[in-house]
Amino acid sequence: MAGEKLDTVAIVEEKDDSPKIKNLSDFWTFLKKELKPRGNIATPFNLISLPIMILGYIFIVYRLAAGLGKPITNLNQDFPWGLWIGFDVVTGVAFAGGAYVLCFVVYILRAEKYHAIIRATVLNGFLAYLFYAGAIVLDIGRWWNIYNPMIGNSFGVNAVMFLVAWHFFLYMLAELVEFSPTIAEWLGMKRLRKILGSLTLGAVVFGICLSTLHQSGLAALMIMAKNKIHPLWYTEFIPILYFVSSIFAGLSMVIFEGSISHKVFGDQIDEAHHKHYDDILVGLARICSVAMFGYFFLKIILLVHEHAVPYLNSPMGYWFLLEIIGFVLVPCFMFAHGAQQRNTSTIKFAAVITMIGIIINRLNYTFIAYNWYVPLSQKYWPAPMELIITASIILTEIWAFRWIVNRMPVLKEPPAWARKLH
Amino acid sequence: MDRRNFLKIFGSGVATAATGNLLNPAKTNASEDNQATEFYGILVDTTRCIGCRRCEKACAEANGLPVPDIDELTNKSVLEKMRRTSDTQYTIINRYDTEKGPIYVPKRCMHCNQPGCAAACLVKAMRKRPSGHVTWDANCIGCRLCMVSCPFDIPKFEYTKAMPRIQKCNLCYDRYKKGGIPACVEVCPTQVLVFGTRRQILEEGKRRIAADPDKYVNHIYGEYEVGGTSHLYLSSVPFEQIGFRKDLGTVPYPEYSTGFLFAVPFIFVLWPIAMLGINRATKKDDESGHGENHENKEHEKGKH
Ligand code: SF4
Ligand code: SF4
């Protein structure tokens, strides 16, 4: 009770330094101020990332002007999808799954423990969709037609790709709504903040529906590649596998990103939260280990169900075993063990292994186990420009994340007036 | 248009976009136009082909593609290796050396009855016409899912062009609309190819097999494969010896995606009910409000 009193005093004393924006010109002044870089620009990270990003942008312009073929990508008639779809879009979306899982935990199950990381996670998810799923523009061969699935008169409403495209788009809106209270707090718009805050639950429910569907929809895209994907990976249940794996893929990303954020932006986070953070990690590790065990179990059942067991004793079989044991079962136990011992290093290490496993899994479906009978010399392998463009997209996302975190109350406490809202 | 009407139309548009064709998810794009009409197709009798490649040339001329040399010498060297259709070749001839001597096989789009390519396409650029032709339109966005979804690896993408197209045989749809028959069928000197409705060419194929059971294997490739195709093949040797896959099954490819499409409306109805239910159930009595605002209050409390 005494604490409560003290806290109230603290809130009253905290001065309201949020911007007063009354008209457009106020807004411009504010924005101009915020757009200026803060702190030292010549950090090692900036010095390394900036040249890569600029090189990437040049290549992007070149790609849009010259087409998709060599030397930009190594895509060919046998491998229509490569790194940009397999990694940027499909893996990127799986990693962004943390946002819907945590929204479910925080807003639907009301597990308050995780509330501290929800904003960073939603922001990360939103940016991942914006940049990684946005990378699809590069991969779309006739990119000037990209609006066709949205406006036009020739909708393939029953094409899986049509649903996925719309669900991407709507989900980005839902995530923007989920994140918007933070933006309103940054702008100091109190009334707007209240309205936007009341939209959160609706956006969360809608967002979870959309996530369920497009996480699995990405797998449903591959379902007609029945005779091209190796029988160890192809099953009619790949949509369910993608959905389940997006749970631990997303949470591993949350653990990974959170650990880095806590080092880089440590000064924005108060002491209580720092302590509390280990609890959060342990909880996330528990969810991961359960989801991964379920996933592993499902994989084994499907292996038997699809009569694919005989394929295990072949090079592709060893590759499959490496994936589901080395990158699913092992990190699953590491998560469980780490949670039990409250050992956060083990948990973080498991998260990294899980993420590598997810990358391998998604790339298997797009080009490794896809057309697996094509001789090795003719297989697709990402071209240098594809890799550089991908790297520049990831780095741009990190820059955007950093810019927002440094300005808006993502990791730091919301302003006092917003905390008083209810 | 007044505002309410606009909202209504816009709203239903978004709903369709989000849920697909709610009432009839089993009706894939590929099965849409093609009820109750008869498809046209080509019967290919591989026992008659002499490998002259005149169809390749006629096809290239009809479709504005690079025209190949087809003199005897070139043919000999070209037919040495196995080729596949490409972004500049809608039709190609391959030679297979079998126990019955060399067999020449024309390859091109099979014009499936329910094409995977058309079911995959999100803007209906790839389309099964009521006449059976599977055609491509310029509203394509170039996602290349049709290439992933074709069981015969037929659609080809122009990787080297700044404004690429998907390239494949369209069964000479333009010539058909003007009352003509496909260029390859017209030029073939040995009547390997027969153009007609699927019913006619199927009957013709069966008649030929029945008339000469020693010459043909008793199988018409494309009668049942992937739910039936409008290109049908006759052969004197088992089909796997002349480059046909026997593992494609008889289920139309679009049907593989109906499971997912069925799930979509269910998720949109059941998930919100379940989630709002849980949300209510986990609510503590003394709280009002929801969403971020509410959460902030909780946040506050947590600090005390
Ligand atoms: S063979 Fe391939 S491209 Fe041709 S209609 Fe069938 S699915 Fe489409
Ligand atoms: S590449 Fe074009 S034709 Fe093929 S599925 Fe995509 S949009 Fe349709």
Side-chain angles (χ1 to χ4, degrees):
Chain A
M1 279 301 121
E4 195 163 8
K5 232 181 207 154
L6 265 178
D7 246 23
T8 330
V9 174
I11 289 172
V12 172
E13 277 175 0
E14 203 172 320
K15 87 175 192 313
D16 185 2
D17 56 356
S18 49
K20 305 268 174 299
I21 297 175
K22 298 209 177 55
N23 52 36
L24 217 57
S25 83
D26 280 359
F27 181 68
W28 272 122
T29 341
F30 174 66
L31 201 64
K32 262 188 261 163
K33 189 186 108 224
E34 291 289 279
L35 277 176
K36 281 205 198 95
R38 287 184 187 169
N40 186 8
I41 308 176
T43 60
F45 173 74
N46 287 3
L47 291 179
I48 296 169
S49 63
L50 208 58
I52 301 177
M53 282 156 69
I54 293 171
L55 198 61
Y57 301 152
I58 297 171
F59 289 160
I60 287 174
V61 175
Y62 178 49
R63 175 263 165 273
L64 293 179
L68 266 176
K70 287 192 174 62
I72 300 158
T73 76
N74 276 342
L75 296 174
N76 56 43
Q77 308 296 359
D78 281 327
F79 296 97
W81 285 358
L83 187 73
W84 289 348
I85 294 280
F87 180 73
D88 299 20
V89 181
V90 180
T91 313
V93 165
F95 285 160
Y100 85 86
V101 179
L102 270 192
C103 278
F104 180 76
V105 171
V106 170
Y107 294 110
I108 307 296
L109 298 181
R110 299 179 202 248
E112 300 304 333
K113 177 161 107 180
Y114 303 97
H115 200 267
I117 56 168
I118 193 82
R119 285 188 168 185
T121 305
V122 169
L123 172 64
N124 214 6
F126 173 70
L127 291 178
Y129 275 85
L130 198 64
F131 286 93
Y132 305 151
I136 208 161
V137 181
L138 299 178
D139 195 82
I140 293 284
R142 299 167 64 82
W143 49 272
W144 59 92
N145 273 342
I146 184 106
Y147 58 85
N148 273 356
M150 304 284 156
I151 43 177
N153 52 10
S154 186
F155 290 162
V157 282
N158 273 335
V160 175
M161 185 68 110
F162 181 79
L163 295 175
V164 170
W166 266 94
H167 290 175
F168 265 17
F169 175 69
L170 294 173
Y171 185 60
M172 266 161 73
L173 292 184
E175 283 203 313
L176 191 58
V177 171
E178 285 164 20
F179 187 68
S180 62
T182 313
I183 302 178
E185 283 168 15
W186 169 61
L187 294 172
M189 296 186 161
K190 303 186 179 169
R191 259 178 60 88
L192 190 68
R193 162 67 182 79
K194 230 182 144 177
I195 301 170
L196 291 173
S198 67
L199 297 177
T200 302
L201 184 65
V204 164
V205 170
F206 190 46
I208 294 173
C209 293
L210 292 168
S211 292
T212 314
L213 287 168
H214 71 237
Q215 293 286 357
S216 50
L218 284 174
L221 291 177
M222 306 304 296
I223 213 134
M224 284 193 274
K226 183 175 164 56
N227 57 322
K228 297 177 194 165
I229 295 173
H230 191 282
L232 281 169
W233 282 270
Y234 186 89
T235 131
E236 49 187 310
F237 297 103
I238 33 178
I240 295 172
L241 291 175
Y242 266 46
F243 173 67
V244 176
S245 56
S246 76
I247 297 173
F248 55 82
L251 292 183
S252 296
M253 183 69 189
V254 170
I255 295 172
F256 179 73
E257 171 266 317
S259 317
I260 294 175
S261 290
H262 270 244
K263 283 212 185 77
V264 179
F265 305 112
D267 50 336
Q268 299 188 15
I269 301 162
D270 58 51
E271 197 51 40
H273 180 167
H274 265 304
K275 284 216 197 81
H276 185 54
Y277 187 62
D278 284 357
D279 273 350
I280 294 182
L281 282 187
V282 169
L284 294 179
R286 284 218 179 90
I287 307 178
C288 280
S289 74
V290 172
M292 288 175 96
F293 196 74
Y295 177 77
F296 180 79
F297 197 62
L298 211 60
K299 274 268 190 192
I300 300 297
I301 292 177
L302 289 171
L303 196 64
V304 178
H305 172 85
E306 302 285 337
H307 308 292
V309 178
Y311 294 99
L312 283 178
N313 193 11
S314 69
M316 282 314 266
Y318 308 145
W319 180 235
F320 177 83
L321 288 175
L322 180 69
E323 184 196 315
I324 65 161
I325 293 175
F327 291 96
V328 178
L329 201 59
V330 169
C332 168
F333 284 132
M334 285 171 70
F335 273 131
H337 185 76
Q340 208 191 15
Q341 309 281 316
R342 296 186 62 83
N343 183 341
T344 51
S345 337
T346 313
I347 294 175
K348 288 173 193 168
F349 191 43
V352 172
I353 298 179
T354 306
M355 286 167 66
I356 297 172
I358 289 290
I359 297 173
I360 293 176
N361 177 263
R362 298 307 198 252
L363 295 188
N364 270 336
Y365 282 101
T366 28
F367 59 82
I368 302 176
Y370 178 91
N371 270 354
W372 52 283
Y373 38 77
V374 170
L376 207 58
S377 58
Q378 291 163 35
K379 283 219 65 133
Y380 162 87
W381 192 245
M385 283 201 204
E386 280 179 275
L387 289 165
I388 291 174
I389 290 180
T390 298
S392 90
I393 292 169
I394 295 174
L395 292 172
T396 312
E397 196 254 7
I398 296 175
W399 277 59
F401 185 77
R402 186 177 61 175
W403 186 87
I404 295 173
V405 166
N406 276 336
R407 279 155 188 83
M408 301 184 194
V410 176
L411 293 172
K412 39 181 182 255
E413 286 276 293
W417 58 266
R419 267 178 281 151
K420 269 181 290 190
L421 278 180
H422 54 85
Chain B
M1 196 191 303
D2 65 73
R3 195 169 139 216
R4 178 173 298 171
N5 248 335
F6 171 78
L7 283 179
K8 220 158 102 193
I9 293 172
F10 181 75
S12 65
V14 169
T16 323
T19 59
N21 191 344
L22 235 170
L23 298 176
N24 200 355
K27 196 173 138 196
T28 59
N29 293 332
S31 61
E32 192 149 342
D33 309 325
N34 39 5
Q35 264 106 41
T37 45
E38 273 203 274
F39 297 155
Y40 281 92
I42 296 177
L43 177 68
V44 186
D45 190 338
T46 56
T47 63
R48 295 189 180 188
C49 183
I50 54 169
C52 69
R53 296 178 67 223
R54 268 179 237 191
C55 53
E56 282 190 29
K57 189 171 176 202
C59 174
E61 282 164 353
N63 292 294
L65 302 168
V67 179
D69 272 342
I70 57 163
D71 57 84
E72 231 164 278
L73 214 70
T74 329
N75 278 3
K76 220 172 166 188
S77 69
V78 165
L79 291 171
E80 280 304 310
K81 43 183 194 300
M82 282 300 151
R83 292 177 303 152
R84 294 163 57 182
T85 60
S86 72
D87 53 339
T88 53
Q89 297 158 297
Y90 292 174
T91 183
I92 49 108
I93 305 284
N94 273 335
R95 192 187 70 215
Y96 294 87
D97 295 313
T98 70
E99 78 233 23
K100 298 210 170 166
I103 296 180
Y104 299 95
V105 184
K107 288 265 166 76
R108 60 181 81 91
C109 171
M110 298 289 282
H111 296 275
C112 309
N113 289 353
Q114 290 191 49
C117 61
C121 186
L122 77 170
V123 291
K124 288 192 183 166
M126 207 56 106
R127 214 152 23 130
K128 179 82 173 166
R129 305 276 178 169
S131 53
H133 303 71
V134 178
T135 60
W136 176 87
D137 267 324
N139 65 333
C140 160
I141 65 168
C143 68
R144 309 190 293 291
L145 185 58
C146 49
M147 301 169 71
V148 173
S149 307
C150 168
F152 302 101
D153 274 320
I154 290 296
K156 297 283 145 62
F157 184 77
E158 296 180 312
Y159 284 105
T160 50
K161 295 211 174 138
M163 299 184 76
R165 293 166 298 176
I166 295 284
Q167 293 281 63
K168 72 167 201 65
C169 157
N170 56 25
L171 204 56
C172 284
Y173 188 58
D174 289 335
R175 290 167 62 103
Y176 165 80
K177 277 192 298 192
K178 291 184 200 128
I181 64 170
C184 52
V185 178
E186 196 173 82
V187 79
C188 180
T190 55
Q191 279 88 48
V192 174
L193 310 170
V194 182
F195 183 71
T197 66
R198 191 166 184 273
R199 193 166 43 87
Q200 288 166 343
I201 57 174
L202 200 55
E203 262 168 30
E204 174 63 16
K206 288 193 173 143
R207 195 191 59 74
R208 287 190 195 180
I209 294 177
D212 206 343
D214 292 339
K215 185 168 165 198
Y216 296 102
V217 292
N218 188 14
H219 181 109
I220 299 180
Y221 195 92
E223 183 177 8
Y224 298 115
E225 276 77 11
V226 299
T229 64
S230 302
H231 247 72
L232 300 172
Y233 282 86
L234 296 179
S235 168
S236 55
V237 297
F239 277 98
E240 52 273 33
Q241 292 180 25
I242 52 171
F244 287 87
R245 285 186 79 150
K246 294 294 282 282
D247 59 347
L248 299 180
T250 56
V251 177
Y253 263 45
E255 260 167 42
Y256 294 119
S257 59
T258 49
F260 175 74
L261 294 171
F262 266 121
V264 174
F266 279 107
I267 300 260
F268 268 106
V269 174
L270 295 181
W271 255 222
I273 297 175
M275 279 188 289
L276 291 175
I278 301 173
N279 180 268
R280 290 285 121 175
T282 50
K283 190 169 167 183
K284 291 160 207 132
D285 289 340
D286 56 333
E287 288 156 13
S288 60
H290 46 63
E292 263 275 321
N293 293 342
H294 160 75
E295 294 304 339
N296 268 318
K297 192 174 154 198
E298 298 264 314
H299 200 60
E300 279 266 284
K301 271 196 191 149
K303 290 182 54 189
H304 296 174

